[in-house]
Every structure is written in C-alpha cells, then in structure tokens.
Amino acid sequence: MKKIWIGVGVVCAMTLVSCGGGADKTEERKVADAGAPAAGGAAATPDEANGGTITGKVVFEGTKPTAKTIDMSAVPFCMRAHASGPQKTEDVIVNDNGTLKYAFVWIKSGLPDTNWQLPATPVMLDQNGCMYRPHMIGVRAGQNIDIKTSDATNHNIHPQPTVNQDWNESQAPGSEDKMKTFPRQEVMIPVKCNIHPWMRAYIGVVSHPFFAVTGDDGTFTLKGLPPGTYTVEVWHEKYGTQDQTVTVGAKESKTQDFTIKG
Ligand SMILES: [Cu+2]
C-alpha cells in the first residue's frame, strides 16, 4: 500500500495539471485503489433495468484527414500479409457518417465508490498482419487481456503506461497467449512493438464498467449508471480529450454528443 502511495506521488509531481487540487488528489487515491479487492460485500454489476443510460456519438468536424499507407517494406512477411491492399494508418479514422472511430468514451468521475464485479472473460488483443487488432481496447483494472499472435513473425509487446508498470516481452510465432492485467486505472496506455515501429495499440484501463470504444458508427452507450452527475470524457490519440457533464436519473436516457474539431 505504501508503495502505491509513493507511486501516485511521483505521478502527481510529473503531471501537475491533473493533480493540482485537493479534489483531484482524492480522485487519484481512488484510482490507486482501483484494483484492490474489496473488504467484504458482494461485487456489484450495472443495473441495466433501473439505471440511467448515457448515449451519443463522437462527431468529427473539419477537413477529413487522409489515411497514409504504412510502409512495411523492411519486413517482407508484413508486406506479404497486405498483398491484396496496403495497410493504412489508423490514428484518425473518420467514418462514412462523419463520426470518429477509435474514440474512448468513459465516466471520468462522479460514480459512487463501488466494488464492481470484474468480467471473467478476457479482452483480446491480437497481432495480425503486423498490426494490433483491434487498434484500441477498453478493459477493467485487474481484468485479463489475452494477447495473442496470428503472425509467422516475431513481435514484441511494449505497453508504455505511466501509472501502471511498464513491461516489454517478445512473442514468437505459434507461442501461447500472454495473459496480462493492469491493476490501476489509466486512460490511456499506448502499446508499441519494438520490432515494427508502425505498430500501435491503445488500452484504456478503467476501475468501473462504464466505458466504450467507438466503432464504424461512432456511437457509444453507457448503460446501468447509478443516478448521478457525471463527467464523461472522450479520449482520442490525435485530438486529445474533451469532457462533458451529464446528469442522469433512474431509468432515464440522456444523449450527449461530442464534437471533435480536426
Ligand atoms: Cu510487431
């Protein structure tokens, strides 16, 4: 426990913006305890029948950036994997309906202090065609991440957290999956591969179940929220973060869209 406190102190010293006030320190403290088992009492699950819902979409505004072709020519295996069409960059994907893909939406603050049940199933992260699939995942603090490789070439998985512990492991073709967890909330952990510099994934680690990654329609739904006032944050790897305050009652559904300017 003492070790965790020292760790939080260091993080606060380095990120003065997010750790300036007393309220933020309380938040950091909760964050530090996110993965710890609760002392007694059954773990809660979101009450989807009686809870509130926050839904919306992440709209992109501006000139749509053009995805670039990734140059994999240095590694013939990787290039052959995309023989039918070159792989494009995934840092900004604007969907056909004008929304953003791979935006991470989560409840940043406002939730009661609850011991939320951890899902038993892991979240999959594959290395396929020398790309991380999918590009972004959301996972609970303490939940397993099943890291697999579908490729006949060596990879190296190198998450670069600032709140959790850094690690760096190679994965050879045909080797068994790696089960990994991050014990502490952290939005966001970039993941690189030391062998293939273009490989990038993002793992959002959250201490509760209310988060989503936008897909091809750019929408998100956070269901089963206890009635309350929440800070909902969207995180995007290129456009940063945006917060909105949303109050939701029991069985109430609120729509809160985000507009990200390109
Ligand atoms: Cu790789």
Side-chain angles (χ1 to χ4, degrees), residues 151-167:
D151 284 343
T153 193
N154 284 316
H155 284 296
N156 164 277
I157 308 114
H158 187 183
Q160 298 177 291
T162 53
V163 178
N164 287 280
Q165 194 154 10
D166 183 290
W167 55 270

Side-chain angles (χ1 to χ4, degrees), residues 127 130 132 153-156 193-196 199:
Q127 294 150 107
C130 303
Y132 283 112
T153 193
N154 284 316
H155 284 296
N156 164 277
C193 168
N194 289 357
I195 300 169
H196 308 112
M199 287 180 72

